[in-house]
Amino acid sequence: MRRLLEASYRHAVSATDPGRLVRSHLPDERPAMVLAVGKAALPMVAEAREAYRDVAWLATPPAGSTNVGAERDAGRTGPHVLPGSHPLPDASSVRAAESALEAVSRLGADDLLLVLVSGGGSALWCAPSGLDLEAKRALTLALQRAGADIHELNVVRRHLSRIKGGRLAAATGARVLTLALSDVPGDDLADIASGPSVPDPTTFADALAVVRRFDVKAPSATEHLARGVAGAVAETPKPGGAVAARCSAKVIGSAGKLLSAAESFWTERGHAVVVLSDSLQGEASELARAHAELVLALRAGSDPRPAAARLLPEDGSRNRAVFDRLT
């Protein structure tokens, strides 16, 4: 069983390999520039560089990532790899974001900008607006500790940034194509890396409501968000607007795709499969413990519902169906 479990894991990871997914979704049109940000920035940009030789590119992975081809290209078309900090941004994240904004500002309406996004991009590209870097770091930590989920956190981050929430797309006149690997429940493009190149459906009022709901003390952030609500600060680009008209985006990989690959591995070998969820949220160690307790209950022939309830609250028809299959 251990051998099969490891094989199913490798099969699922291979099926959602960032490079493979990018390769199968690259546009026929040669882009004028490729930007990549996130934990998978380097393998994603490597595929684009293979397809479009000598294209201008910039990648922002977490510091310490292996530089794919950077040494070979150094000095040819400028600095290519500008690492940022994760999980909290630092000065390197600000430098990387500023470089991305400056680079896309040189593109025109006839150009295509290809943006490759993966998890971690919210911290790796950081261009604070209305507050300084330390205040934004403190606010992010405070919201996380207060229990804000990723959607709530990103609503706030998008409205305190010059690059998130579609503002990267607003900084260029080019057409923008975004290919994204999702690490967020629901696969909302506005939440993946806080949506730098896609329109933002939320508002300053939504962001201010989150800060107030969690009673976080952040004077500079609160003041900036209030100014946005009053119309003194421009909103993020919205769906249906002028910026959105020249932007397109698609999710090319996600937790759901990974689970589907694992499911196929087991069904092809004659096993019954119960896919719990691709939208779990919470502390990773607690979720891992709940999974282990569920497995132990099933092996012992005891009632698995208490452990399953920690992973799937018994509401909604899909969750009830999962409970029925487990029992």
Side-chain angles (χ1 to χ4, degrees):
M1 181 55 67
R2 182 184 182 90
R3 178 182 59 80
L4 283 171
L5 285 168
E6 291 178 348
S8 71
Y9 168 78
R10 295 191 187 98
H11 174 81
V13 170
S14 176
T16 51
D17 174 73
R20 176 185 297 180
L21 292 171
V22 167
R23 190 183 318 133
S24 62
H25 288 88
L26 288 173
D28 293 332
E29 179 182 352
R30 176 186 172 87
M33 179 176 292
V34 179
L35 298 184
V37 63
K39 298 175 188 176
L42 294 179
M44 293 179 81
V45 80
E47 289 299 327
R49 293 175 55 220
E50 184 65 26
Y52 315 115
R53 296 302 177 96
D54 297 319
V55 69
W57 64 279
L58 173 67
T60 300
S65 300
T66 302
N67 291 359
V68 178
E71 297 83 358
R72 185 187 65 204
D73 293 327
R76 193 161 70 176
T77 57
H80 296 291
V81 180
L82 293 177
S85 174
H86 183 273
L88 286 174
D90 66 8
S92 67
S93 304
V94 176
R95 285 194 296 272
E98 297 286 1
S99 295
L101 288 167
E102 195 278 329
V104 303
S105 70
R106 299 193 295 265
L107 302 179
D110 293 333
D111 294 322
L112 174 66
L113 170 64
L114 177 61
V115 184
L116 307 174
V117 178
S118 55
S122 291
L124 295 168
W125 273 352
C126 181
S129 177
L131 73 176
D132 61 25
L133 176 61
E134 287 307 312
K136 192 166 187 181
R137 283 169 55 101
L139 174 61
T140 300
L141 273 175
L143 286 170
Q144 289 173 331
R145 290 169 178 168
D149 64 28
I150 189 62
H151 306 292
E152 294 165 323
L153 188 63
N154 284 344
V155 168
V156 176
R157 288 197 284 203
R158 287 197 292 269
H159 287 88
L160 295 170
S161 174
R162 290 179 290 107
I163 195 169
K164 297 175 172 62
R167 293 194 188 275
L168 175 74
T172 183
R175 291 166 291 119
V176 183
L177 171 62
T178 301
L179 303 179
L181 295 178
S182 174
D183 67 333
V184 296
D187 302 333
D188 188 338
L189 282 156
D191 276 331
I192 304 168
S194 296
S197 51
V198 299
D200 173 24
T202 65
T203 65
F204 275 105
D206 296 324
L208 185 59
V210 170
V211 174
R212 288 175 172 168
R213 182 161 62 250
F214 289 99
D215 194 26
V216 172
K217 307 304 180 187
S220 56
T222 302
E223 179 183 352
H224 182 75
L225 296 176
R227 292 182 67 238
V229 172
V233 181
E235 259 290 1
T236 49
K238 297 291 177 256
V243 173
R246 51 184 174 81
C247 295
S248 60
K250 64 177 72 174
V251 174
I252 62 173
S254 65
K257 292 180 184 294
L258 185 141
L259 288 172
S260 293
E263 181 181 20
S264 67
F265 176 93
W266 291 101
T267 55
E268 289 168 4
R269 287 158 178 78
H271 294 277
V273 177
V274 178
V275 177
L276 293 176
S277 175
D278 65 352
S279 300
L280 297 178
Q281 297 192 60
E283 169 56 43
S285 62
E286 294 175 5
L287 291 173
R289 188 174 297 108
H291 278 89
E293 290 175 0
L294 176 59
V295 170
L296 292 173
L298 290 168
R299 287 189 64 185
S302 55
D303 186 358
R305 286 174 294 185
R310 295 171 58 191
L311 299 170
L312 286 171
E314 197 170 0
D315 55 6
S317 58
R318 184 195 178 282
N319 286 358
R320 284 194 295 273
V322 172
F323 269 89
D324 290 343
R325 293 195 68 189
L326 286 173
T327 57

